Structure formats: C-alpha cells, structure tokens
Amino acid sequence: MTKLILKDISHMFGTNQVLSQVNLEVQEGEFVTILGSSGSGKSTIFNIIGGLLVPDTGEVILEGRSVVGRTGHVAYMPQTPSLMPWRTVADNIALGSEIKGDTAGRLDELLERSGFDEIREHYPDSLSGGMKQRVSFLRALNTPGELMLLDEPFSALDEITRYDMQAWLKEILAVEKRTVLMITHSIEEAIKLSDRIVVLEGKPASIRHVIDVRHMREQEIVSLKTQLLEMLR
C-alpha cells in the first residue's frame, strides 16, 4: 500500500528555486532515505511534507488524502535531541503523545523494549549524546503519526556512537514496522538503514535516481558507494 506520494513538488525562496518537479512514492512499512549534499533542498522537502511550508506547485498525498499546508500528521526526529532539561527521560518520551492529546501513549512499552526502564527518572544532563538521541527517537515513536521523518538524526554524533545508534535503530524498527523517511548526506548511513535510496540532485533539485538496496550483495554495495559519491559531487 502506498503511504506517501509527492507529486510534482516545486518551491522557491524569493527568486531562488530550490526544488523542481520532485516526485516520490513511499510504501507502507518502507524505510526510504533522501540522500543529497548540504543545501540541496532535503529539509525543504521535509517542511513541505510536515505542512510547515506550502509548495509553489504540487501535491503531498498521505494515505490517499492531501495534506498540503496541514500539520500534525507526522512524527518528527530532529538533528539534535531537543529534550526538555526539566523533564525526566520518561516525561520527555511522553511529550509526543501529550501534544496530540493522547495521555496514555505507549510509554511503558517503549521504555521496556528499549531497555530504558532503569533510567526513566534520569534527566537529560546525565545522559550521553547517543542516549539523548535514543530518547529523542523514542519520543518520535511515541508520537501518533502516520509517517516518521528523521532529519539527519545522527549527524552530531561521533563515528562509534553513530554506528551503535544505527544498529539500535534497525533493531527497534524491525519490531515497530513504521514507515520512515530520512534525510542524510551520509552514503554509508543511507545504505545501512534504507530499503531504497533517493538521490536529490541539481539546482533546482529534483529526484534523479531511486535505488533499491534491500538485496544488494557486498560487491554491488562497494560499487554503489562509488556511484553515489559521483552523483553527489
């Protein structure tokens, strides 16, 4: 089942056209990564999907209905954790469901599944950067939303922590079965986490390549890394 459709999305900021005729379909339960260099328009696409920007042309269709200019239909994880320092781990995770008016949420289930039950009463200033990002992701999981948007979620982490976080994320999503759209400029990250990789190229940017990486062999992945690097230069 098709979860999300971007149809002929174009957008300008003043006289600067950032996006031109962006078309994309994301299937239910799929993990799709938009790969692009800095300034290529990745965040603009997220803001349009989330309803924070209205595109100059085009449609955003989520589960068969237009959501252009509408908010509240996505769960969002930003680049930095953005945790409330006065709230405990449990209270920060609960925030997503509270905003939507769902006071029950899935807090206890998520804390147990992630192994965070022992630190539920800890405050953010006692956590490492990687742990803060885990809490941020659990908050997004606890946010009622038909689609998860991950905005370069590991870009601020060191390489080892980033690697561990990616493995943890894959483990959680193997159980959760959520539909995820992520943006990144990391080729390695895109290949490791995604079902499909979407390459955003050009000025103004459009989607030039869509690559299924689910069943690629090691040698094919090595070749793909070189190809993607050339595409992004």
Side-chain angles (χ1 to χ4, degrees):
M1 177 181 174
T2 302
K3 174 70 75 170
L4 173 72
I5 299 173
L6 302 182
K7 186 176 181 181
D8 298 329
I9 298 292
S10 296
H11 193 71
M12 297 181 70
F13 291 107
T15 59
N16 179 31
Q17 186 168 3
V18 179
L19 302 174
S20 176
Q21 300 293 300
V22 171
N23 290 279
L24 176 65
E25 292 190 10
V26 179
Q27 304 304 313
E28 186 171 0
E30 195 174 27
F31 193 124
V32 175
T33 295
I34 300 176
L35 186 64
S37 57
S38 297
S40 61
K42 302 186 300 296
S43 294
T44 300
I45 290 175
F46 264 27
N47 287 333
I48 288 172
I49 293 171
L52 300 177
L53 282 176
V54 176
D56 295 327
T57 63
E59 282 289 332
V60 180
I61 301 168
L62 188 63
E63 293 195 330
R65 57 191 175 89
S66 175
V67 292
V68 171
R70 296 171 55 188
T71 59
H73 52 271
V74 300
Y76 178 72
M77 180 179 177
Q79 295 181 29
T80 55
S82 302
L83 302 179
M84 305 298 182
W86 58 88
R87 295 179 70 115
T88 64
V89 165
D91 289 341
N92 267 288
I93 295 171
L95 185 62
S97 58
E98 288 175 11
I99 291 173
K100 292 293 188 73
D102 179 7
T103 54
R106 304 168 52 219
L107 178 62
D108 291 335
E109 174 192 346
L110 290 173
L111 285 167
E112 183 178 353
R113 178 172 295 163
S114 62
F116 275 25
D117 208 34
E118 291 183 359
I119 64 166
R120 63 183 300 149
E121 299 304 324
H122 290 203
Y123 288 89
D125 62 0
S126 69
L127 305 178
S128 67
M131 292 294 280
K132 289 176 183 177
Q133 282 297 84
R134 284 172 166 84
V135 173
S136 179
F137 178 72
L138 293 175
R139 179 179 59 194
L141 273 180
N142 197 42
T143 302
E146 298 160 2
L147 176 70
M148 287 193 72
L149 302 181
L150 308 185
D151 184 358
E152 301 195 48
F154 314 130
S155 60
L157 301 177
D158 64 79
E159 186 173 355
I160 294 175
T161 304
R162 186 174 185 148
Y163 182 88
D164 290 343
M165 185 71 185
Q166 290 166 357
W168 180 83
L169 179 64
K170 287 192 74 171
E171 183 180 322
I172 294 290
L173 287 176
V175 178
E176 287 290 327
K177 305 295 185 184
R178 296 287 289 269
T179 304
V180 180
L181 188 61
M182 181 176 77
I183 57 177
T184 184
H185 57 266
S186 169
I187 293 172
E188 293 276 353
E189 187 166 275
I191 291 174
K192 182 174 182 178
L193 294 176
S194 309
D195 295 316
R196 289 188 298 144
I197 297 173
V198 172
V199 183
L200 200 63
E201 288 184 301
K203 291 187 179 296
S206 59
I207 292 172
R208 306 289 177 84
H209 309 277
V210 180
I211 304 161
D212 193 321
V213 297
R214 278 170 281 205
H215 306 296
M216 278 194 171
R217 299 174 180 175
E218 185 62 35
Q219 192 57 43
E220 292 174 311
I221 290 175
V222 171
S223 177
L224 176 61
K225 289 178 183 177
T226 302
Q227 294 172 26
L228 289 172
L229 186 58
E230 289 299 318
M231 291 175 191
L232 296 176
R233 280 179 173 165

